[in-house]
Amino acid sequence: MSEIIYGIHAVQAVLEREPQRFLEIYLLKGRSDHRLRPLVQQLEQAGIIIHIAGRQWLNKQVSGAVHQGVIARVQAGRRFREDDLPSLLSQKGEPLLLILDGVTDPHNLGACLRCADAAGVHAVIAPHDRAAPLNAIAKKVASAAAESVPLIRVTNLARTLRLLKKYNVWIVGTTDKAVRHIYQSKLTGPLALIMGAEGAGIRRLTREHCDTLTSIPMAGTVSSLNVSVATGICLFEAVRQRHYALYPRMLNETTIL
């Protein structure tokens, strides 16, 4: 099985990790700028044959998406399943997990993966059904994070949450109806943070399996944030809490201008 990827970062991520997956690669005719040149050099060093194509042809392959002058057909990467969770949980002393419940837009999935990578999340969990596919759009937006953060697809999210509890993972759901906000909530230790779609939020059954619920305090007139923005805010509050012991020393060693 093969798949299409496009964009400099998405292509470079596969090239650096699994160059053997490349089947075909096409570059925009006449483009040779400082951003694309290092990628071309890496492709040549890996012995991958480069095909040159016109903009119109490239645009057609990705339905007009922003491909940055590079499109590749690669063998499909590894697909993680619920069976992979016990091994991951056993290896990580204090796993940090992100669960996406009802996120159906590939752009949002890609942006959430990017936030997860930046925050050091060990895995992202999402249902098979009614969830965004990890397609070329998501991988382009993820900007290489799709290759570094495992995306684990599960058949039954409620069953997965029960499994996480057996491994003493603290499950925190996000909802605007929560009594406590993220700055009042415990986000340390083995943690699974659940984010729902903007508007609908996390599903009732998912909410019932949470150990606690939390929200983002909103000071303005808007009632909600894009799920990827909310994910970034919540994840980095978890990062702050988990590394709080390091902050005083880091602050003492930093000169604030």
Side-chain angles (χ1 to χ4, degrees), residues 61-82:
Q61 305 312 303
V62 296
S63 302
V66 181
H67 48 69
Q68 297 179 306
V70 57
I71 297 175
R73 186 169 68 89
V74 299
Q75 294 175 342
R78 179 183 175 187
R79 283 170 166 73
F80 293 89
R81 303 179 303 176
E82 189 172 358

Side-chain angles (χ1 to χ4, degrees), residues 26-143:
Y26 296 88
L27 298 182
L28 177 63
K29 182 180 180 180
R31 177 167 181 182
S32 179
D33 54 57
H34 70 282
R35 296 188 64 197
L36 201 57
R37 202 172 299 121
L39 176 61
V40 172
Q41 291 174 350
Q42 286 180 279
L43 289 167
E44 291 174 341
Q45 290 171 2
I48 298 171
I49 297 174
I50 300 171
H51 302 277
I52 305 300
R55 183 178 297 278
Q56 186 174 359
W57 185 88
L58 292 176
N59 290 346
K60 186 177 180 180
Q61 305 312 303
V62 296
S63 302
V66 181
H67 48 69
Q68 297 179 306
V70 57
I71 297 175
R73 186 169 68 89
V74 299
Q75 294 175 342
R78 179 183 175 187
R79 283 170 166 73
F80 293 89
R81 303 179 303 176
E82 189 172 358
D83 295 346
D84 295 305
L85 264 175
S87 174
L88 184 148
L89 293 169
S90 298
Q91 293 172 12
K92 306 297 181 183
E94 293 190 351
L96 175 58
L97 307 172
L98 171 64
I99 299 176
L100 302 178
D101 183 29
V103 176
T104 57
D105 185 341
H107 292 88
N108 283 334
L109 173 60
C112 287
L113 284 169
R114 190 168 181 172
C115 290
D117 178 79
V121 167
H122 297 109
V124 175
I125 300 171
H128 278 292
D129 300 327
R130 294 185 294 278
L134 184 59
N135 57 16
I137 296 172
K139 291 185 176 184
K140 168 66 167 56
V141 176
S143 188

Side-chain angles (χ1 to χ4, degrees), residues 55-250:
R55 183 178 297 278
Q56 186 174 359
W57 185 88
L58 292 176
N59 290 346
K60 186 177 180 180
Q61 305 312 303
V62 296
S63 302
V66 181
H67 48 69
Q68 297 179 306
V70 57
I71 297 175
R73 186 169 68 89
V74 299
Q75 294 175 342
R78 179 183 175 187
R79 283 170 166 73
F80 293 89
R81 303 179 303 176
E82 189 172 358
D83 295 346
D84 295 305
L85 264 175
S87 174
L88 184 148
L89 293 169
S90 298
Q91 293 172 12
K92 306 297 181 183
E94 293 190 351
L96 175 58
L97 307 172
L98 171 64
I99 299 176
L100 302 178
D101 183 29
V103 176
T104 57
D105 185 341
H107 292 88
N108 283 334
L109 173 60
C112 287
L113 284 169
R114 190 168 181 172
C115 290
D117 178 79
V121 167
H122 297 109
V124 175
I125 300 171
H128 278 292
D129 300 327
R130 294 185 294 278
L134 184 59
N135 57 16
I137 296 172
K139 291 185 176 184
K140 168 66 167 56
V141 176
S143 188
E147 304 299 329
S148 60
V149 181
L151 174 62
I152 300 176
R153 295 288 188 182
V154 299
T155 304
N156 187 312
L157 186 54
R159 182 177 64 203
T160 300
L161 295 177
R162 290 193 293 270
L163 172 65
L164 294 179
K165 289 188 177 186
K166 290 181 180 179
Y167 283 85
N168 298 315
V169 175
W170 183 249
I171 300 173
V172 178
T174 56
T175 170
D176 58 2
K177 298 177 177 60
V179 175
R180 293 174 177 270
H181 56 66
I182 56 173
Y183 307 117
Q184 300 169 324
S185 302
K186 172 184 175 290
L187 301 176
T188 56
L191 176 70
L193 179 69
I194 307 179
M195 307 298 300
E198 182 180 354
I202 61 177
R203 292 174 295 175
R204 177 189 58 79
L205 185 58
T206 303
R207 194 162 55 245
E208 290 174 356
H209 283 81
C210 293
D211 292 307
T212 189
L213 299 173
T214 191
S215 64
I216 296 175
M218 306 288 284
T221 57
V222 298
S223 59
S224 63
L225 297 170
N226 175 274
V227 64
S228 63
V229 174
T231 295
I233 292 171
C234 293
L235 283 178
F236 275 92
E237 171 56 18
V239 170
R240 186 193 70 82
Q241 291 188 25
R242 295 160 83 86
H243 295 278
Y244 183 80
L246 296 176
Y247 278 28
R249 178 167 54 84
M250 291 171 64

